[in-house]
Amino acid sequence: MIYLAVLLRILSNPFANVFQKQLTSAGSLPLLVNFITYFLLSLLCIIPAVGVNWLSLPLGFWGYSVLVGLFGALGNGFLVRALQRGDLSVLGPINAYKSVVGLLAGMVLLREFPNGWGVLGIALIIGGSYFVLGTTEEKFSWRLLKQPSIQFRLWAMVFAAVEAVFIKKTILYSSPTVSFISWCWFGALFSAMVTFWSPAHRLGFKQEFIRSKLKRYALLVFCIGLMQFTTNYVFEQMPVGYALSLFQLSTLVSIGLGYKFFQETDILKKTMGALIMVAGSVLIILLK
């Protein structure tokens, strides 16, 4: 079951990105796409939530659930904004930098310094990104960081990395299913707070529920729900770091989907770079 869950997680994430990009390309506001996804998932969670004794859950569960909702809503919001502006085959591999972020945070906060494998892993991720980001107009340079899509993706990656730790905490206090329900509900709450401060988003909410978009929203909700539930199951079975390293394989799927659905170019070079970045991520996490 654990291998099936990992496989479903690897496949569902990039497919969700495809539907998010299709919706924003069709004119949907990114924050609305983010909120509606959480909102529809929250409605689906009502039935399984009836059988949960919520009052018996410890205070720590609720505290971490709030943090999961906050970081998840911000991370997913930045991700959808990034997909609106950038190529899926470029933004997907950038997620491999999550391993570098975790390693650098450990150096600063925990005084944990990388061994030789960790240094080699960083070098591979940077080297692989040279091939992936070299397919952009700005190439591999500081000018690339001025691109809004790259900035949004980096912020999404940081928030997602922190969110993963908090999700693991909620699972330890409860179960993967209960953690999933709280992820949906608190995510909907915080994404609503971020979204509806703007009159444009309030006016655009009803316009999202039209026939041409409902199919994509249904597919998006299915993929996001499957992605998060399998993520919770994998987090219960293995350390977060190991799971995140396996999830990096989804970058290869993202490149293929970018070519299939959006006719993105330089696929061979991006694939070679993504393979190098995945190898670096594995070295950092599994051999540190």
Side-chain angles (χ1 to χ4, degrees):
M1 287 299 294
I2 184 66
Y3 297 110
L4 176 61
V6 170
L7 176 62
L8 291 174
R9 170 57 173 76
I10 289 171
L11 294 175
S12 58
N13 183 46
F15 271 100
N17 294 159
V18 168
F19 300 130
Q20 288 168 329
K21 186 171 179 63
Q22 286 179 337
L23 285 165
T24 55
S25 297
S28 297
L29 296 172
L31 291 180
L32 273 178
V33 173
N34 185 41
F35 167 72
I36 291 173
T37 304
Y38 276 117
F39 175 69
L40 294 176
L41 281 169
S42 297
L43 294 180
L44 294 174
C45 286
I46 292 175
I47 294 177
V50 172
V52 178
N53 184 2
W54 296 99
L55 296 178
S56 67
L57 293 170
L59 185 61
F61 168 83
W62 296 108
Y64 283 114
S65 291
V66 170
L67 292 174
V68 166
L70 176 60
F71 280 82
L74 291 173
N76 287 322
F78 278 118
L79 175 60
V80 180
R81 286 290 300 275
L83 291 168
Q84 180 189 31
R85 293 168 174 253
D87 288 349
L88 181 63
S89 56
V90 172
L91 298 176
I94 290 178
N95 195 51
Y97 271 94
K98 187 184 295 182
S99 304
V100 179
V101 172
L103 188 148
L104 295 176
M107 292 174 59
V108 174
L109 301 176
L110 304 175
R111 310 299 293 174
E112 294 179 352
F113 295 92
N115 58 17
W117 290 113
V119 174
L120 178 59
I122 292 176
L124 286 174
I125 290 176
I126 294 174
S129 65
Y130 174 83
F131 290 98
V132 175
L133 300 178
T135 61
T136 63
E137 183 179 348
E138 293 81 2
K139 305 301 181 182
F140 187 81
S141 65
W142 287 111
R143 289 190 300 125
L144 187 67
L145 293 178
K146 296 180 180 180
Q147 275 196 20
S149 62
I150 300 298
Q151 294 176 356
F152 290 146
R153 187 62 185 91
L154 291 174
W155 277 113
M157 178 191 66
V158 171
F159 282 119
V162 177
E163 179 200 17
V165 177
F166 296 145
I167 289 174
K168 177 73 173 187
K169 289 288 190 179
T170 62
I171 293 172
L172 293 174
Y173 277 117
S174 56
S175 70
T177 301
V178 173
S179 174
F180 173 77
I181 295 172
S182 72
W183 178 85
C184 295
W185 285 353
F186 282 98
L189 173 63
F190 283 103
S191 62
M193 294 169 61
V194 171
T195 302
F196 292 115
W197 66 269
S198 168
H201 290 93
R202 292 196 294 270
L203 292 173
F205 178 68
K206 292 183 179 180
Q207 299 174 7
E208 290 300 295
F209 295 93
I210 58 177
R211 180 172 297 181
S212 61
K213 293 183 179 182
L214 284 179
K215 180 180 179 180
R216 287 196 178 98
Y217 270 116
L219 293 170
L220 174 58
V221 167
F222 173 78
C223 288
I224 291 292
L226 180 63
M227 179 198 73
Q228 191 58 45
F229 191 82
T230 52
T231 296
N232 286 14
Y233 178 78
V234 174
F235 280 178
E236 184 188 40
Q237 302 296 320
M238 65 173 62
V240 171
Y242 284 75
L244 291 178
S245 69
L246 292 173
F247 296 164
Q248 301 307 317
L249 293 172
S250 65
T251 63
L252 299 174
V253 182
S254 295
I255 292 173
L257 294 178
Y259 172 76
K260 173 68 175 177
F261 288 97
F262 306 107
Q263 293 74 53
E264 296 172 3
T265 57
D266 294 316
I267 298 303
L268 181 60
K269 188 175 182 180
K270 292 173 181 175
T271 301
M272 181 171 64
L275 285 171
I276 296 172
M277 296 177 78
V278 168
S281 178
V282 170
L283 286 178
I284 288 177
I285 296 174
L286 300 186
L287 300 177
K288 63 182 179 178

